[in-house]
CSV table of all heavy atoms in Angstrom, one decimal:
chain,number,residue,atom,x,y,z
A,171,ILE,N,152.5,80.7,106.3
A,171,ILE,CA,151.8,80.4,105.1
A,171,ILE,C,151.7,78.9,105.0
A,171,ILE,O,152.8,78.2,105.1
A,171,ILE,CB,152.5,81.0,103.9
A,171,ILE,CG1,152.5,82.5,104.0
A,171,ILE,CG2,151.8,80.6,102.6
A,171,ILE,CD1,151.1,83.2,104.1
A,172,ALA,N,150.6,78.3,104.7
A,172,ALA,CA,150.4,76.9,104.5
A,172,ALA,C,151.0,76.4,103.2
A,172,ALA,O,151.1,77.2,102.3
A,172,ALA,CB,148.9,76.5,104.6
A,173,PRO,N,151.3,75.2,103.1
A,173,PRO,CA,151.9,74.7,101.8
A,173,PRO,C,150.9,74.9,100.7
A,173,PRO,O,149.7,74.8,100.8
A,173,PRO,CB,152.0,73.1,102.1
A,173,PRO,CG,152.1,73.0,103.6
A,173,PRO,CD,151.3,74.1,104.1
A,174,GLY,N,151.5,75.3,99.5
A,174,GLY,CA,150.7,75.6,98.3
A,174,GLY,C,150.3,77.0,98.1
A,174,GLY,O,149.8,77.3,97.0
A,175,PHE,N,150.4,77.9,99.1
A,175,PHE,CA,150.0,79.2,99.0
A,175,PHE,C,151.1,80.2,98.6
A,175,PHE,O,150.8,81.4,98.4
A,175,PHE,CB,149.3,79.7,100.3
A,175,PHE,CG,147.9,79.2,100.5
A,175,PHE,CD1,147.7,77.9,101.1
A,175,PHE,CD2,146.8,79.9,100.0
A,175,PHE,CE1,146.4,77.5,101.2
A,175,PHE,CE2,145.5,79.5,100.2
A,175,PHE,CZ,145.3,78.2,100.8
A,176,GLN,N,152.3,79.8,98.5
A,176,GLN,CA,153.4,80.7,98.2
A,176,GLN,C,153.1,81.4,96.8
A,176,GLN,O,153.5,82.5,96.6
A,176,GLN,CB,154.7,79.9,98.1
A,176,GLN,CG,155.2,79.5,99.5
A,176,GLN,CD,154.5,78.2,100.0
A,176,GLN,OE1,153.7,77.6,99.3
A,176,GLN,NE2,154.8,77.9,101.3
A,177,MET,N,152.4,80.7,95.9
A,177,MET,CA,152.2,81.3,94.6
A,177,MET,C,151.3,82.5,94.7
A,177,MET,O,151.4,83.4,93.9
A,177,MET,CB,151.5,80.2,93.7
A,177,MET,CG,150.2,79.7,94.2
A,177,MET,SD,149.4,78.5,93.1
A,177,MET,CE,147.9,78.1,94.0
A,178,MET,N,150.5,82.6,95.8
A,178,MET,CA,149.6,83.8,95.9
A,178,MET,C,150.4,85.0,96.5
A,178,MET,O,149.8,86.1,96.4
A,178,MET,CB,148.5,83.4,96.9
A,178,MET,CG,147.5,82.4,96.4
A,178,MET,SD,146.1,82.1,97.4
A,178,MET,CE,145.2,83.7,97.2
A,179,LEU,N,151.6,84.8,96.9
A,179,LEU,CA,152.4,85.9,97.5
A,179,LEU,C,153.3,86.5,96.5
A,179,LEU,O,154.0,87.5,96.7
A,179,LEU,CB,153.2,85.4,98.7
A,179,LEU,CG,152.4,84.7,99.8
A,179,LEU,CD1,153.4,84.3,100.9
A,179,LEU,CD2,151.4,85.7,100.3
A,180,ALA,N,153.4,85.9,95.3
A,180,ALA,CA,154.3,86.4,94.2
A,180,ALA,C,153.8,87.8,93.8
A,180,ALA,O,152.6,88.0,93.6
A,180,ALA,CB,154.4,85.5,93.1
A,181,PRO,N,154.7,88.8,93.6
A,181,PRO,CA,154.2,90.1,93.2
A,181,PRO,C,153.6,90.0,91.8
A,181,PRO,O,154.1,89.3,90.9
A,181,PRO,CB,155.5,90.9,93.2
A,181,PRO,CG,156.6,90.0,93.2
A,181,PRO,CD,156.1,88.7,93.9
A,182,VAL,N,152.5,90.7,91.6
A,182,VAL,CA,151.8,90.8,90.3
A,182,VAL,C,151.8,92.2,89.8
A,182,VAL,O,151.5,93.2,90.5
A,182,VAL,CB,150.3,90.3,90.5
A,182,VAL,CG1,149.6,90.4,89.2
A,182,VAL,CG2,150.3,88.9,91.0
A,183,THR,N,152.2,92.3,88.6
A,183,THR,CA,152.2,93.7,87.9
A,183,THR,C,150.8,93.9,87.4
A,183,THR,O,150.4,93.2,86.5
A,183,THR,CB,153.2,93.7,86.8
A,183,THR,OG1,154.5,93.4,87.3
A,183,THR,CG2,153.2,95.1,86.2
A,184,PRO,N,150.1,94.9,88.0
A,184,PRO,CA,148.8,95.1,87.5
A,184,PRO,C,148.7,95.7,86.1
A,184,PRO,O,149.6,96.4,85.7
A,184,PRO,CB,148.2,96.2,88.5
A,184,PRO,CG,149.5,96.9,89.0
A,184,PRO,CD,150.5,95.8,89.0
A,185,GLY,N,147.8,95.2,85.3
A,185,GLY,CA,147.6,95.7,83.9
A,185,GLY,C,146.7,96.9,83.9
A,185,GLY,O,146.3,97.4,85.0
A,186,PRO,N,146.4,97.4,82.8
A,186,PRO,CA,145.6,98.6,82.7
A,186,PRO,C,144.2,98.3,83.2
A,186,PRO,O,143.7,97.2,83.1
A,186,PRO,CB,145.6,99.0,81.2
A,186,PRO,CG,145.9,97.7,80.5
A,186,PRO,CD,146.8,96.9,81.5
A,187,PRO,N,143.5,99.3,83.8
A,187,PRO,CA,142.2,99.1,84.3
A,187,PRO,C,141.2,98.6,83.2
A,187,PRO,O,141.3,99.1,82.1
A,187,PRO,CB,141.8,100.5,84.8
A,187,PRO,CG,143.1,101.2,85.1
A,187,PRO,CD,144.0,100.7,84.0
A,188,ASP,N,140.4,97.6,83.6
A,188,ASP,CA,139.5,97.0,82.7
A,188,ASP,C,138.1,97.0,83.3
A,188,ASP,O,137.8,96.1,84.1
A,188,ASP,CB,139.9,95.6,82.3
A,188,ASP,CG,139.0,95.0,81.2
A,188,ASP,OD1,137.8,95.4,81.1
A,188,ASP,OD2,139.5,94.1,80.5
A,189,THR,N,137.3,98.1,83.1
A,189,THR,CA,136.0,98.2,83.8
A,189,THR,C,135.1,97.1,83.4
A,189,THR,O,134.3,96.7,84.2
A,189,THR,CB,135.4,99.6,83.5
A,189,THR,OG1,135.3,99.7,82.0
A,189,THR,CG2,136.3,100.7,84.0
A,190,THR,N,135.1,96.6,82.2
A,190,THR,CA,134.2,95.5,81.8
A,190,THR,C,134.6,94.2,82.5
A,190,THR,O,133.7,93.5,83.0
A,190,THR,CB,134.3,95.3,80.3
A,190,THR,OG1,134.0,96.5,79.6
A,190,THR,CG2,133.4,94.1,79.8
A,191,LYS,N,135.8,93.9,82.7
A,191,LYS,CA,136.3,92.7,83.4
A,191,LYS,C,135.9,92.9,84.9
A,191,LYS,O,135.4,91.9,85.5
A,191,LYS,CB,137.8,92.6,83.3
A,191,LYS,CG,138.3,91.4,84.1
A,191,LYS,CD,139.9,91.3,83.9
A,191,LYS,CE,140.5,90.2,84.7
A,191,LYS,NZ,141.9,90.1,84.5
A,192,ALA,N,136.1,94.0,85.5
A,192,ALA,CA,135.7,94.2,86.9
A,192,ALA,C,134.2,94.1,87.1
A,192,ALA,O,133.7,93.5,88.1
A,192,ALA,CB,136.2,95.6,87.3
A,193,MET,N,133.4,94.6,86.1
A,193,MET,CA,132.0,94.5,86.2
A,193,MET,C,131.5,93.1,86.2
A,193,MET,O,130.7,92.6,87.0
A,193,MET,CB,131.3,95.3,85.1
A,193,MET,CG,129.8,95.2,85.0
A,193,MET,SD,129.2,93.8,84.1
A,193,MET,CE,129.9,94.1,82.5
A,194,GLY,N,132.1,92.3,85.2
A,194,GLY,CA,131.7,90.9,85.1
A,194,GLY,C,132.0,90.1,86.3
A,194,GLY,O,131.2,89.3,86.8
A,195,ALA,N,133.2,90.3,86.9
A,195,ALA,CA,133.6,89.6,88.1
A,195,ALA,C,132.7,90.0,89.3
A,195,ALA,O,132.3,89.1,90.1
A,195,ALA,CB,135.1,90.0,88.5
A,196,LEU,N,132.3,91.3,89.4
A,196,LEU,CA,131.4,91.7,90.5
A,196,LEU,C,130.0,91.1,90.3
A,196,LEU,O,129.4,90.6,91.2
A,196,LEU,CB,131.3,93.2,90.5
A,196,LEU,CG,130.3,93.8,91.6
A,196,LEU,CD1,130.8,93.4,92.9
A,196,LEU,CD2,130.3,95.3,91.4
A,197,ARG,N,129.5,91.0,89.0
A,197,ARG,CA,128.2,90.4,88.8
A,197,ARG,C,128.2,88.9,89.2
A,197,ARG,O,127.3,88.4,89.7
A,197,ARG,CB,127.9,90.4,87.3
A,197,ARG,CG,127.7,91.8,86.7
A,197,ARG,CD,126.4,92.4,87.2
A,197,ARG,NE,126.0,93.7,86.5
A,197,ARG,CZ,125.0,94.5,86.9
A,197,ARG,NH1,124.3,94.2,88.0
A,197,ARG,NH2,124.8,95.6,86.2
A,198,GLN,N,129.4,88.2,89.0
A,198,GLN,CA,129.5,86.8,89.5
A,198,GLN,C,129.4,86.7,91.0
A,198,GLN,O,128.6,85.9,91.5
A,198,GLN,CB,130.8,86.2,89.0
A,198,GLN,CG,130.9,84.7,89.4
A,198,GLN,CD,132.3,84.1,89.2
A,198,GLN,OE1,133.3,84.8,89.5
A,198,GLN,NE2,132.3,82.9,88.6
A,199,LEU,N,130.1,87.6,91.7
A,199,LEU,CA,130.0,87.6,93.2
A,199,LEU,C,128.6,87.9,93.7
A,199,LEU,O,128.2,87.3,94.7
A,199,LEU,CB,131.0,88.6,93.7
A,199,LEU,CG,132.5,88.3,93.5
A,199,LEU,CD1,133.3,89.5,94.2
A,199,LEU,CD2,132.9,87.0,94.1
A,200,GLN,N,127.9,88.8,93.0
A,200,GLN,CA,126.5,89.1,93.4
A,200,GLN,C,125.6,87.9,93.2
A,200,GLN,O,124.8,87.6,94.0
A,200,GLN,CB,126.1,90.3,92.6
A,200,GLN,CG,126.8,91.6,93.0
A,200,GLN,CD,126.5,92.8,92.1
A,200,GLN,OE1,126.1,92.6,90.9
A,200,GLN,NE2,126.8,94.0,92.6
A,201,ALA,N,125.8,87.2,92.1
A,201,ALA,CA,125.0,86.0,91.9
A,201,ALA,C,125.3,84.9,92.9
A,201,ALA,O,124.4,84.3,93.5
A,201,ALA,CB,125.2,85.4,90.5
A,202,ARG,N,126.6,84.8,93.2
A,202,ARG,CA,127.1,83.8,94.2
A,202,ARG,C,126.5,84.0,95.5
A,202,ARG,O,126.1,83.0,96.3
A,202,ARG,CB,128.6,83.9,94.2
A,202,ARG,CG,129.3,83.0,95.2
A,202,ARG,CD,130.8,83.3,95.2
A,202,ARG,NE,131.6,82.5,96.0
A,202,ARG,CZ,131.8,82.7,97.3
A,202,ARG,NH1,131.2,83.7,97.9
A,202,ARG,NH2,132.6,81.9,98.1
A,203,ALA,N,126.3,85.3,95.9
A,203,ALA,CA,125.7,85.6,97.2
A,203,ALA,C,124.3,85.1,97.4
A,203,ALA,O,123.9,84.9,98.5
A,203,ALA,CB,125.8,87.1,97.5
A,204,GLY,N,123.6,84.9,96.3
A,204,GLY,CA,122.2,84.4,96.4
A,204,GLY,C,122.1,82.9,96.3
A,204,GLY,O,121.0,82.4,96.2
Side-chain angles (χ1 to χ4, degrees):
I171 301 299
F175 280 88
Q176 288 78 8
M177 60 183 179
M178 297 186 66
L179 302 181
V182 177
T183 302
D188 186 334
T189 56
T190 301
K191 179 180 177 181
M193 176 276 298
L196 179 60
R197 293 291 190 189
Q198 184 191 43
L199 292 181
Q200 291 168 338
R202 179 184 181 278

